[in-house]
């Protein structure tokens, strides 16, 4: 035992001497290697804030949203410390991540003096409901193209009810019978009709993430680079140890924005996306493309490769919008431990992923994980029968 100790000290001494000899020879600018992401020269948070500030916004969201510790969930999972970022509390028509995106996007709509917004999504789209609400507030007419598929519960309530309450011009399009729907053609047809009525339409791509149509800059993603700053500020102030931010990833703008924030600031926080429907590879490609565009307009000297994007497709389960027992049980667990409601399409799925990752030892016990609650709760009541079948004691 003692001889081992002596040997080890001897080794430390050798390492120390070698280092002492080498250090003067090292150039101070020698790159520091860290696992995962290739490093770039980080910038200050105030600098990033300043760059984001160049893009106008309209106030639509209640910010900052709370960052809460979930002690009971942490206890029952017996894993890392779990926090929740309450972006379900952004305040615009039941909240959600789209309110942040729309602060930037609607500013562009107003700047271009558009009086109609045209966008699309599923029948229970949170994006469309949020856009309708923002449009009403800003006296812009919302036109929503809603795709209806035979295999997911759609109902007439939830987001669809809210779209109608906002007086949105709703155009339901049936899909899933094998025929291809070209969204661009649809958008342009509606756009032409509006122009013929003397209006100035603005077309926003699905989810407000990718650029295209009237949106020439990734304005939705920028809002989540800003949200990363918001999270970091709070984490620093409260001296919380955060290693991961985990979120549901769909059109990818939310994850792309967070990734840009983390990389620009040289943060060690890893952003983990749980894919809702698509496979890992196309998700990585799409998210890195949006992230690079975002970095570009913020004039950041960095690139993000698809391989750097952490996104998991193990939790797609039966596909987009289809409730499974894993999702229902994740919703049940968070409701019964923390009194917090998740949704059946996005956050319930992401939480099912988090719970499974904890059980598989993905995180270390002393890690801190922020779960991004991206909203979606209006769809909860559309799934009432399935939820009741899948949860316990009812
Ligand atoms: C739209 C949405 C997401 C996905 O955000 P993307 O930026 O499209 O990846 C996640 N959760 C909820 C509740 C949403 O409405």
């Amino acid at each position: 035992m003692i001889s081992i100790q002596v040997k080890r000290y001897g080794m430390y001494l050798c390492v120390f001497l070698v280092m002492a000899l080498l250090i003067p020879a090292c150039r101070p600018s020698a790159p520091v290697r860290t696992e995962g992401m290739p490093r770039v020269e980080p910038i200050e948070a105030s600098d990033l804030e300043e760059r984001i500030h160049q893009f106008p916004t309209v106030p639509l969201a209640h910010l900052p949203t709370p960052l809460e510790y979930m002690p009971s969930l942490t206890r029952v999972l017996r894993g890392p410390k779990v926090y929740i970022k309450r972006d379900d509390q952004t305040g615009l028509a039941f909240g959600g991540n789209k309110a942040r995106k729309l602060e930037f996007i609607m500013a562009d709509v107003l700047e271009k003096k558009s009086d109609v917004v045209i966008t699309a999504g599923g029948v229970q789209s949170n994006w469309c409901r949020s856009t309708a609400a923002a449009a009403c507030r800003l006296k812009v007419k919302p036109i929503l193209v809603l795709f209806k598929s035979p295999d997911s519960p759609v109902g007439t309530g939830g987001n669809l009810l809210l779209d109608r309450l906002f007086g949105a011009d709703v155009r339901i399009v049936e899909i899933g019978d094998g025929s291809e729907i070209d969204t661009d053609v649809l958008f342009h047809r509606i756009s032409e009709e509006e122009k013929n009525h003397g209006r100035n339409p603005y077309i926003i791509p699905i989810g407000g993430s990718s650029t295209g149509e009237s949106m020439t800059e990734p304005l939705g993603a920028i809002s989540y680079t800003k949200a990363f700053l918001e999270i970091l500020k709070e984490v620093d102030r409260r001296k919380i140890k955060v290693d991961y931010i985990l979120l549901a990833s769909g059109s990818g703008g939310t994850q792309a924005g967070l990734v840009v924030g983390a990389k620009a600031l040289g943060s060690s926080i890893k952003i983990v996306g749980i894919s809702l429907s698509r496979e890992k590879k196309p998700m990585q490609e799409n998210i890195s493309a949006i992230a690079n565009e975002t970095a570009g307009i913020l004039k950041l000297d960095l690139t993000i490769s698809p391989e750097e994007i952490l996104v998991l497709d193990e939790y797609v389960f039966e596909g987009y919008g289809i409730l499974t027992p894993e999702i229902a049980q994740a919703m049940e667990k968070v409701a019964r431990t923390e009194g917090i409601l998740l949704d059946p399409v996005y956050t319930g799925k992401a939480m099912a992923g988090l719970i499974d990752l904890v059980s598989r030892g993905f995180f270390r016990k002393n890690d801190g994980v922020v779960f991004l609650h991206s909203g979606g709760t209006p769809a909860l009541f559309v799934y009432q029968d399935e939820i009741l079948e899948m949860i316990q004691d009812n």
Side-chain angles (χ1 to χ4, degrees), residues 97-98 101 126-127 207 209 248-254 276 343 346-347 374-376:
N97 60 342
K98 306 309 182 310
K101 294 182 177 190
N126 299 309
W127 160 248
S209 290
S249 215
S251 63
T254 304
L276 302 163
D343 82 289
Y346 297 88
T347 53
S374 44

Side-chain angles (χ1 to χ4, degrees), residues 125-355:
S125 167
N126 299 309
W127 160 248
C128 288
R129 174 251 309 162
S130 307
T131 304
C136 284
R137 194 181 291 182
L138 300 168
K139 298 183 175 56
V140 171
K141 176 186 165 190
I143 302 181
L144 307 175
V145 177
L146 302 181
F147 299 113
K148 186 175 181 172
S149 74
D151 54 351
S152 62
V154 287
T156 51
N159 283 305
L160 186 55
L161 168 69
L162 304 181
D163 295 340
R164 296 238 148 90
L165 203 50
F166 288 126
D169 179 343
V170 171
R171 321 265 176 107
I172 293 180
V173 177
E174 309 266 349
I175 55 165
D177 58 355
S179 60
E180 286 278 312
I181 306 258
D182 192 330
T183 317
D184 292 351
V185 172
L186 251 167
F187 275 159
H188 287 121
R189 197 190 306 146
I190 298 170
S191 179
E192 284 311 308
E193 280 165 20
E194 290 303 308
K195 283 181 192 160
N196 290 340
H197 284 96
R199 288 189 274 262
N200 178 19
Y202 186 109
I203 305 175
I204 321 176
I206 296 175
S209 290
S210 302
T211 53
E213 307 296 349
S214 312
M215 198 172 89
T216 54
E217 290 168 321
L219 299 169
I222 290 190
S223 75
Y224 267 88
T225 305
K226 189 174 169 184
F228 184 83
L229 280 166
E230 183 182 303
I231 294 170
L232 207 63
K233 201 176 267 178
E234 182 76 359
V235 161
D236 287 347
R237 191 179 65 78
R238 282 161 53 185
K239 300 190 172 54
I240 301 171
K241 180 178 181 295
V242 173
D243 302 276
Y244 295 91
I245 297 174
L246 186 139
L247 73 152
S249 215
S251 63
T254 304
Q255 186 169 359
L258 292 170
V259 166
V260 169
K263 188 145 180 176
L265 301 178
S267 166
S268 60
I269 299 175
K270 296 183 184 73
I271 315 295
V272 182
I274 302 293
S275 174
L276 302 163
S277 58
R278 281 181 296 169
E279 285 178 8
K280 182 178 171 134
K281 218 173 139 70
M283 284 299 284
Q284 286 179 311
E285 278 162 7
N286 187 41
I287 294 166
S288 68
I290 301 170
N292 284 324
E293 271 189 280
T294 309
I297 58 164
L298 293 173
K299 302 193 168 58
L300 295 166
D301 183 22
L302 58 88
T303 52
I304 289 152
S305 67
E307 300 75 49
E308 283 174 65
I309 305 294
L310 290 169
V311 59
L312 304 174
D313 61 6
E314 287 93 320
Y315 307 105
V316 168
F317 301 127
E318 287 171 39
Y320 179 81
I322 302 172
L323 191 71
T324 67
E326 294 91 335
I327 300 169
Q329 282 149 24
M331 292 169 66
E332 177 193 276
K333 189 162 271 169
V334 175
R336 294 185 187 185
T337 54
E338 298 290 345
I340 292 175
L341 298 168
L342 301 179
D343 82 289
V345 181
Y346 297 88
T347 53
K349 194 174 263 190
M351 183 55 79
L354 173 69
I355 292 169

